[in-house]
Amino acid sequence: MNKQKRYEIFSRWRDDNPHPTTELEYSSPFELLIAVILSAQATDVGVNKATRKLYPVANTPQAIYDLGVDGLKEYIKTIGLFNAKAENVIKTCQMLVELHDSVVPDTREALEALPGVGRKTANVVLNTAFGQPTMAVDTHIFRVSNRTKIAPGKNVNEVEQKLMRFIPKAFILDAHHWLILHGRYVCVARKPKCGACMIEDLCEFKDKTEI
């Protein structure tokens, strides 16, 4: 995969979807942070169903903290791993109140110090809420990067580093969203829809399908 191919791939994605964003529903950096914590090993659709009930009742660190673990569980019990996530969210809200004046921090170090927030979650918040050029590599991005050969790597960290190095600067801010959407709807896990793919002629996947 060379520079010209990568530039053309991202140009096509940008032309098709100039302003991509997350499919998680949120109206503040805090709502985004909580939604991303809840989305680990869960679908955005499932998280949105829960937060549509939760956020009208509690959408600040203090308000969610006041619900307590058991109170929060009632809103998120349809999401996988909800017990552990409830514990983490309550602890995160407590830290935000006590250490950050209820404001979501905009640095990786401070975000990753919050319970339930790893590198991937921090990258999503830094990129989507604060407009920083980061790359949160989830299963979709890992698959697309390897399958297309945009940025092949053995693990998520390797893929993240290669993407940050290889993606043309003009596209880096939105690249995370284009890659996820492509993996979610076109370059799907079991059988990619190569016949309906706008970058099929540029992709270096050897076993292309007709679908």
Side-chain angles (χ1 to χ4, degrees), residues 60-62 92-105:
T60 65
Q62 188 65 58
T92 280
C93 289
Q94 182 179 8
M95 286 179 68
L96 289 173
V97 171
E98 294 176 357
L99 302 178
H100 300 286
D101 295 323
S102 294
V103 176
V104 175

Side-chain angles (χ1 to χ4, degrees), residues 24-197:
L24 290 170
E25 296 169 0
Y26 71 98
S27 60
S28 68
F30 174 71
E31 287 188 4
L32 176 66
L33 171 65
I34 300 307
V36 178
I37 292 173
L38 295 177
S39 73
Q41 297 179 312
T43 66
D44 289 0
V45 171
V47 172
N48 289 338
K49 281 182 182 173
T51 57
R52 279 175 203 155
K53 295 175 182 174
L54 171 64
Y55 289 159
V57 175
N59 69 342
T60 65
Q62 188 65 58
I64 289 183
Y65 180 67
D66 288 345
L67 288 176
V69 172
D70 290 336
L72 178 57
K73 282 181 186 178
E74 286 302 307
Y75 291 95
I76 67 169
K77 61 188 176 184
T78 53
I79 301 173
L81 308 176
F82 73 93
N83 285 311
K85 288 176 182 177
E87 299 271 358
N88 283 333
V89 167
I90 293 300
K91 288 175 188 169
T92 280
C93 289
Q94 182 179 8
M95 286 179 68
L96 289 173
V97 171
E98 294 176 357
L99 302 178
H100 300 286
D101 295 323
S102 294
V103 176
V104 175
D106 62 358
T107 66
R108 178 186 304 285
E109 185 180 29
L111 283 168
E112 289 188 14
L114 299 171
V117 178
R119 183 176 182 85
K120 187 173 77 173
T121 297
N123 278 340
V124 173
V125 174
L126 290 171
N127 178 269
T128 305
F130 299 115
Q132 296 184 25
T134 60
M135 185 60 58
V137 179
D138 68 352
T139 54
H140 297 301
I141 293 182
F142 185 78
R143 179 175 65 254
V144 170
S145 299
N146 276 287
R147 194 183 266 165
T148 61
K149 302 294 188 282
I150 289 173
K154 293 176 187 150
N155 55 58
V156 292
N157 288 336
E158 192 178 334
V159 169
E160 179 185 337
Q161 288 165 12
K162 284 189 176 181
L163 286 169
M164 293 301 291
R165 197 161 74 240
F166 292 157
I167 294 172
K169 285 186 179 174
F171 306 109
I172 198 72
L173 201 58
D174 292 321
H176 158 247
H177 299 302
W178 288 317
L179 286 160
I180 281 183
L181 292 169
H182 190 67
R184 190 171 281 165
Y185 297 111
V186 182
C187 198
V188 293
R190 290 188 180 176
K191 195 172 184 184
K193 302 172 184 176
C194 300
C197 175

